[in-house]
């Protein structure tokens, strides 16, 4: 078999199909119909990244065909074959774009097809923290459904993001494999062309997080190879189109492992006929190292289950919500008072139910001790309880402190899950993730109603109050050290967050206390202390040593940063920020839009459009990525007038930040109900109508000095 001829044959098949589909769509819809995948700022992403050319109409698809043909030059060199793979990817994207032009939703559940920019950004944090250590792409059909399920569940248990193309999807469904974006097992489609949607994910990671310029294909290839730990598994007999798609994957740095022999290309194309070894082979060839803590409970424990939702009809037991009390607490104790590894349940367990769903009160007290443990770390560890419980297959956890809400699914109960198992997971994860500060740990779960109520009053509420008072005193002026966070540099090499008591990391996941704890956990890791010295402009938040730290950490990409200004040297953004704000000049203020909001904002751009201008570690005056929590901070763009500049937000975001924002505005401006003066999409999205609303409310931004 001549590998090159197989690739060229597959490429020809893509070309024939793409040309016929483009001809058909132009005949049916004319040359001016819009061509675009849903909710992306990059059209069409793969072609845009490779060539720098945006394709937005059906007529421009003919240009896209010509761009793909430029990569076709059949020869005897490996690069000739890889270029044919690139052409195949571009042609597959044209084919898929035509599908989305012909039909608004060409992929019906459970098939996913295209992933939105927001969905990709949501993967940003788990990718950089390596909660998602790699990306597996499974193509074809396994020898039987049981084998397919074993392989998929193995990747899922290891936390990988797994995409499926072909009949393996039906095999997974037959075996009741839990799938969906929230569970990180994503069925793309049955036809091989749908694999372009995972290629698009990798390419958009380069555009979003890496700020790689469209058209610089060599830089995109380097980014995907070095930073997107993806690989391809091909099961059963391959055909020419699959191998051509594999050539495209290899060109992006993603090795392919085939069950049926074709040819081997060392480190790039490997033959592994033993299904029991395919996972091991794939991880080795991509140098993905998995750290798995084996926990002896009857259900799976993996970060892939973090997004699982337990619906009412699937629920066996429920704690908290509106039905019962539920709270959680981590507290530091001295070594002698803790029996390491002790798991105790005080009250009834799940198997005492007299009716389903079983509603029980719930409290979990996690006692920790360690030579390097500090009381300030308690809330940091406590917030991780949310993740640890969500990692358990069939358990859903929402909220924190005394507004926790937990559900246990019927299937996991029937497989043997009980409350001590939840304690085992908390213990194991606490010791594994916080081993440098937690030497001993014990877990006590209370379901006795009286004890839950009494201990909340005696233990939990006083502890929460003391922490809140401590946090209230943690303002930027009261500390002499900030922290850098370079966690996202694995995807955004030039980005550096400076985390202060009043400004969390823009992903929303790293507070000043988190950064301080992270430094203790990993002294040479992502979070490093930054002295708040060499003040240049306190109002704008410029310190010489802060800028110096950013300069060093960004390897010279950013040499100066202001922490409180949106106009002068604003802090950079990685791409996984929760929100972005941008100036609306005619309103003399800024709009803020959160990642989940997909519609057009009053500045004429979507979240994706705004984010495409400022992600990847670049400084863009007038635009700023940030976390939700920062919206209620008195330091929010305080150099330009602060919170009083906020003129528009989506309603969901407005309602979420209302309490903190109103309190801050009252303190700063003596304004009551400031959030109600901010416009949202239920009121207006056109600039003229937004202005009318602001004027009717007497919004303070209208009386401030010009923002530009």
């Amino acid at each position: 078999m001549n590998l090159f001829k197989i690739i060229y044959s597959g490429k020809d098949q893509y070309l024939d199909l793409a040309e016929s589909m483009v001809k058909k769509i132009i005949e049916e819809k004319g040359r001016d119909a819009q061509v675009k995948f849903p909710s992306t700022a990059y059209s069409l992403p793969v072609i845009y990244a490779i060539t720098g050319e945006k394709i937005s109409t059906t007529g421009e698809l003919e240009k896209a065909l010509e761009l793909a043909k430029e990569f076709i030059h059949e020869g005897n060199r490996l690069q000739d074959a890889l270029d044919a793979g690139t052409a195949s990817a571009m042609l597959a994207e044209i084919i898929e774009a035509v599908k989305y032009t012909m039909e608004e939703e060409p992929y019906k559940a459970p098939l996913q097809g295209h992933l939105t920019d927001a969905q990709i950004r949501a993967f940003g944090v788990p990718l950089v923290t390596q909660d998602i250590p790699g990306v597996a792409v499974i193509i074809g059909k396994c020898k039987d459904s049981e084998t397919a399920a074993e392989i998929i569940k193995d990747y899922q248990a290891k936390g990988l993001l797994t995409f499926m193309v072909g009949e393996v999807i039906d095999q997974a469904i037959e075996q009741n494999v839990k799938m969906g974006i929230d569970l990180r097992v994503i069925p793309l489609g049955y036809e091989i062309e749908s694999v372009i949607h995972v290629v698009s994910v990798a390419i958009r990671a380069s555009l979003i997080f890496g700020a790689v310029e469209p058209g610089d294909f060599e830089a995109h290839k380097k980014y995907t190879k070095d930073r997107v730990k993806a690989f391809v598994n091909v099961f059963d007999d391959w055909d020419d189109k699959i191998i051509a798609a594999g050539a495209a994957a290899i060109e992006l740095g993603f090795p392919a492992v085939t069950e049926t022999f074709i040819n081997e290309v060392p480190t790039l194309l490997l033959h592994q006929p033993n299904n029991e070894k395919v996972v091991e082979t794939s991880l080795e060839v991509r140098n993905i190292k998995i750290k798995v803590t084996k926990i002896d409970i009857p259900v799976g424990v993996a970060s892939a289950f973090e997004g699982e939702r337990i619906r009412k009809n699937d629920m066996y037991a429920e704690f908290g919500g509106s039905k019962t009390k539920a709270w959680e607490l981590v507290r530091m104790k001295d070594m002698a008072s803790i029996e390491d590894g002790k798991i105790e349940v005080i009250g009834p367990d799940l198997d005492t139910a007299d009716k389903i769903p079983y509603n029980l009160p719930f409290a979990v007290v996690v006692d920790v001790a360690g030579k390097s443990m500090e009381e300030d770390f308690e809330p940091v560890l406590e917030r991780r309880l949310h993740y640890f419980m969500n990692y358990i297959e069939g358990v859903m956890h929402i909220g924190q402190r005394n507004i926790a809400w937990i559900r246990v699914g019927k299937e996991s109960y029937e497989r043997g899950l009980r409350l001590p198992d939840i304690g085992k997971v908390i213990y194991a994860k606490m010791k594994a993730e916080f081993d440098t500060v937690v030497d001993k740990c014990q877990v006590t779960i209370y379901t006795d109603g009286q004890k839950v109520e009494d201990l909340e009053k005696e233990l939990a509420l006083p502890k929460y109050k003391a922490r809140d008072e401590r946090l209230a005193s943690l303002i930027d002026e009261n500390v002499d050290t900030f922290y850098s966070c370079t966690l996202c540099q694995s995807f955004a090499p030039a980005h550096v967050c400076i985390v202060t008591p009043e400004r969390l990391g823009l992903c929303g996941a790293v507070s000043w206390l988190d950064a301080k704890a992270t430094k203790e956990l990993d002294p040479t890791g992502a979070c490093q202390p930054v002295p708040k010295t060499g003040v240049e402009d306190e109002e704008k938040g410029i310190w010489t040593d802060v800028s110096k730290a950013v300069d060093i950490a960004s390897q010279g990409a950013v040499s100066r940063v202001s922490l409180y200004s949106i106009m002068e040297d604003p802090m950079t953004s990685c791409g996984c920020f929760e929100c972005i704000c941008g100036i609306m000049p005619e309103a003399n203020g800024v709009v803020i839009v959160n990642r989940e909001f997909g519609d057009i904002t009053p500045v004429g751009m979507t979240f994706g459009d705004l984010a495409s201008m400022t992600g990847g570690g670049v400084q863009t005056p007038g635009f700023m990525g940030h976390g939700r929590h920062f919206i209620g901070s008195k330091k929010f763009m305080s150099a330009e007038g602060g919170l009083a500049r906020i003129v528009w937000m989506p309603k969901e975001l407005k309602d979420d930040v209302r309490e903190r924002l109103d309190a801050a505005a009252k303190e700063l401006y003596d304004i009551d109900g400031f959030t109600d003066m901010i416009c949202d999409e239920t009121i207006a999205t056109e600039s003229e109508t937004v202005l009318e609303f602001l004027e009717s409310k007497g919004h303070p931004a209208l009386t401030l000095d010009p923002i530009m």
Side-chain angles (χ1 to χ4, degrees):
M1 289 178 291
N2 186 303
L3 177 60
F4 292 2
K5 286 184 178 180
I6 293 168
I7 293 171
Y8 297 149
S9 171
K11 172 265 301 174
D12 287 340
Q13 293 177 50
Y14 285 115
L15 180 58
D16 289 345
L17 180 57
E19 287 181 329
S20 66
M21 290 183 72
V22 169
K23 181 180 179 181
K24 181 179 178 182
I25 196 69
I26 291 175
E27 288 173 353
E28 289 186 6
K29 292 186 175 287
R31 304 183 63 82
D32 298 323
Q34 186 183 45
V35 172
K36 186 179 182 181
F37 292 117
S39 301
T40 178
Y42 310 97
S43 290
L44 302 169
V46 175
I47 293 170
Y48 180 50
I50 292 172
T51 68
E53 296 281 350
K54 283 204 168 191
I55 305 299
S56 58
T57 67
T58 47
E60 290 175 353
L61 287 173
E62 291 180 333
K63 179 173 72 173
L65 287 170
E66 295 307 313
L67 291 169
K69 289 176 184 177
E70 290 178 9
F71 283 85
I72 299 173
H73 38 83
E74 298 181 12
N76 297 319
R77 298 177 306 125
L78 176 60
Q79 190 59 52
D80 296 330
L82 295 177
D83 284 349
T86 298
S88 298
M90 296 168 72
L91 294 165
E93 186 170 55
I94 293 168
I95 292 164
E96 291 296 299
V98 172
K99 289 180 185 177
Y100 275 91
T101 307
M102 287 179 168
E103 190 177 351
E104 189 172 336
E105 292 185 36
Y107 289 93
K108 304 294 190 293
L111 304 181
Q112 172 65 38
H114 167 80
L115 278 76
T116 68
D117 289 354
Q119 289 166 330
I120 294 172
R121 290 178 190 278
F123 289 136
V125 172
L127 281 167
V128 300
T129 60
Q130 295 202 349
D131 275 350
I132 300 176
V135 180
V137 184
I138 301 176
I139 297 173
K141 179 183 179 182
C142 291
K143 62 183 179 182
D144 54 62
S145 297
E146 292 80 7
T147 299
E150 287 172 10
I151 291 169
I152 295 165
K153 287 181 177 179
D154 197 354
Y155 285 138
Q156 190 176 45
K158 291 176 167 62
L160 273 76
L161 181 59
T162 305
F163 293 90
M164 298 180 291
V165 175
E167 291 182 64
V168 68
I169 295 170
D170 290 334
Q171 293 180 310
I173 292 170
E174 181 185 323
Q175 290 294 306
N176 297 313
V177 173
K178 295 177 180 177
M179 61 179 69
I181 283 186
D182 290 341
L183 292 163
R184 300 178 189 167
V185 175
I186 303 172
L188 289 174
Y190 291 108
E191 296 172 333
I192 186 59
E193 289 83 9
S194 66
V195 78
I196 196 62
H197 298 300
V198 69
V199 175
S200 175
V201 169
I203 283 291
R204 277 182 284 160
S206 184
L207 290 163
I208 290 170
F209 302 113
V212 178
E213 288 293 322
D216 191 348
F217 189 33
E218 291 301 317
H220 282 292
K221 287 191 291 185
K222 186 177 189 316
Y223 184 95
T224 53
K225 178 184 178 182
D226 294 345
R227 302 182 185 279
V228 183
K229 297 289 186 178
F231 56 85
V232 179
N233 291 159
V234 179
F235 291 99
D236 202 13
D237 291 335
W238 43 262
D239 63 27
D240 296 357
K241 289 172 74 177
I242 289 175
I243 300 304
I250 289 170
E251 178 70 335
L252 292 171
F254 309 150
V257 180
T258 65
E259 179 182 28
T260 302
F261 183 77
I262 174 171
N263 291 79
E264 285 212 331
V265 180
T267 75
L268 299 177
L269 180 60
L270 298 93
H271 176 226
Q272 178 50 270
N274 187 340
N275 288 166
E276 293 180 1
K277 294 183 178 180
V278 70
V279 172
E280 178 186 356
T281 300
S282 301
L283 298 179
E284 283 179 358
V285 74
R286 205 62 179 95
N287 195 28
I288 297 172
K289 301 186 186 304
I290 306 292
K291 181 181 178 182
V292 176
T293 304
K294 182 64 177 174
I295 304 173
D296 185 22
I297 68 170
V299 298
V301 180
S303 61
F305 296 115
E306 182 186 335
E308 186 177 11
R309 293 290 174 261
I310 309 297
R311 308 299 178 191
K312 190 173 182 179
N313 292 339
D314 300 322
M315 178 175 64
Y316 176 84
E318 184 174 35
F319 312 93
S322 59
K323 304 292 193 304
T324 63
K325 278 189 178 294
W327 54 270
E328 52 204 27
L329 184 74
V330 171
R331 61 177 177 175
M332 184 178 76
K333 300 191 75 175
D334 62 86
M335 291 276 211
S337 65
I338 292 180
E339 182 182 336
D340 188 45
K342 181 180 180 182
I343 312 292
E344 187 176 11
V345 176
I346 298 175
D349 202 342
L350 298 177
D351 50 11
T352 60
D354 54 1
K355 67 182 183 70
I356 307 300
Y358 193 15
N359 293 110
L360 278 170
F362 181 91
V364 58
V365 178
V366 183
D367 292 318
V368 296
K371 295 184 288 294
S372 300
M373 183 65 192
E374 298 180 23
E375 197 169 3
D376 270 349
F377 298 164
E378 287 178 345
V380 177
L381 274 60
E382 190 172 289
R383 284 196 295 276
R384 293 299 294 172
L385 293 177
H386 168 75
Y387 297 95
F388 296 163
M389 283 190 253
N390 272 322
Y391 290 168
I392 304 171
E393 184 179 5
V395 174
M396 182 183 82
H397 180 283
I398 296 172
Q400 58 181 326
R401 285 192 172 189
N402 60 340
I403 57 169
W405 178 24
I406 304 161
R407 284 181 169 181
V408 175
K410 291 176 183 175
E411 182 183 336
S412 288
Y413 171 78
E414 289 164 1
R415 288 168 60 184
L417 182 72
R418 300 294 183 266
L419 292 178
D421 296 318
I422 294 177
K424 288 180 185 178
V425 172
I426 292 171
Y427 169 78
K429 289 292 186 181
M430 200 65 73
K431 290 293 291 283
E433 291 199 13
F434 299 104
D435 59 323
T436 60
V437 297
V438 175
D439 298 322
K440 297 175 76 175
C441 173
Q442 69 181 31
V443 180
T444 309
I445 295 173
Y446 298 89
T447 57
D448 178 282
Q450 193 60 53
K451 285 190 176 294
V452 169
E453 192 165 328
D454 291 345
L455 285 172
E456 182 186 36
K457 294 175 184 175
E458 298 166 12
L459 180 62
L461 293 178
K463 195 71 167 173
Y464 299 155
K465 182 180 178 183
R467 287 180 189 165
D468 288 342
E469 290 171 353
R470 164 73 170 138
L471 286 170
S473 70
L474 277 176
I475 59 175
D476 289 4
E477 286 80 3
N478 289 353
V479 301
D480 57 12
T481 303
F482 295 152
Y483 287 89
S484 62
C485 179
T486 56
L487 196 63
C488 289
Q489 282 195 350
S490 59
F491 269 65
H495 171 62
V496 183
C497 263
I498 296 295
V499 182
T500 82
E502 295 181 77
R503 180 171 188 166
L504 280 71
L506 51 85
C507 66
V510 181
S511 70
W512 186 83
L513 287 176
D514 290 318
K516 181 182 178 186
T518 300
K519 165 64 178 172
E520 292 295 325
L521 292 166
D522 185 1
T524 61
C527 293
Q528 294 298 315
V530 177
K532 196 184 75 173
T533 50
V535 62
E536 295 180 27
D537 190 321
E538 200 157 6
E539 182 183 2
K540 293 178 181 176
I542 303 174
W543 288 269
T544 300
D545 285 334
V546 171
S547 291
K548 182 179 178 182
V550 171
D551 184 38
I552 294 170
S554 70
Q555 299 180 54
V558 179
S559 60
R560 180 179 168 85
V561 66
S562 62
L563 302 183
Y564 311 141
S565 173
I566 193 176
M567 295 301 294
E568 182 178 332
D569 300 317
M571 197 165 78
T572 60
S573 301
C574 57
C576 52
F577 36 77
E578 292 184 302
C579 304
I580 189 166
C581 73
I583 288 176
M584 182 179 175
E586 60 269 46
N588 204 33
V590 297
V591 305
I592 301 177
V593 59
N594 53 301
R595 183 170 59 211
E596 296 79 8
F597 186 77
D599 295 335
I600 296 286
T601 67
V603 295
M605 292 184 278
T606 64
F607 176 92
D609 296 327
L610 288 165
S612 68
M613 301 171 65
T614 190
V618 298
Q619 287 180 310
T620 312
F623 298 89
M624 178 175 69
H626 57 86
R628 284 178 177 240
H629 192 78
F630 192 43
I631 296 172
S633 169
K634 288 176 281 186
K635 290 295 191 289
F636 180 86
M637 52 178 290
S638 56
E640 286 80 35
L643 300 173
R645 294 283 188 183
I646 302 173
V647 298
W648 189 94
M649 282 192 284
K651 189 175 189 305
E652 182 275 324
L653 180 62
K654 201 165 81 168
D655 291 343
D656 183 48
V657 303
R658 179 182 296 276
E659 186 176 343
R660 291 187 70 248
L661 182 54
D662 280 347
K666 177 66 175 175
E667 182 179 345
L668 290 169
Y669 317 118
D670 196 27
I671 295 175
D672 291 310
F674 173 65
T675 306
D676 290 328
M677 304 173 77
I678 298 171
C679 193
D680 62 55
E681 80 281 8
T682 68
I683 301 165
T685 54
E686 297 293 332
S687 60
E688 288 184 6
T689 320
V690 171
L691 274 173
E692 289 173 6
F693 173 82
L694 299 176
E695 288 166 355
S696 72
K697 293 291 185 179
H699 194 290
L702 302 177
T703 62
L704 295 175
D705 292 338
I707 195 168
M708 294 181 69

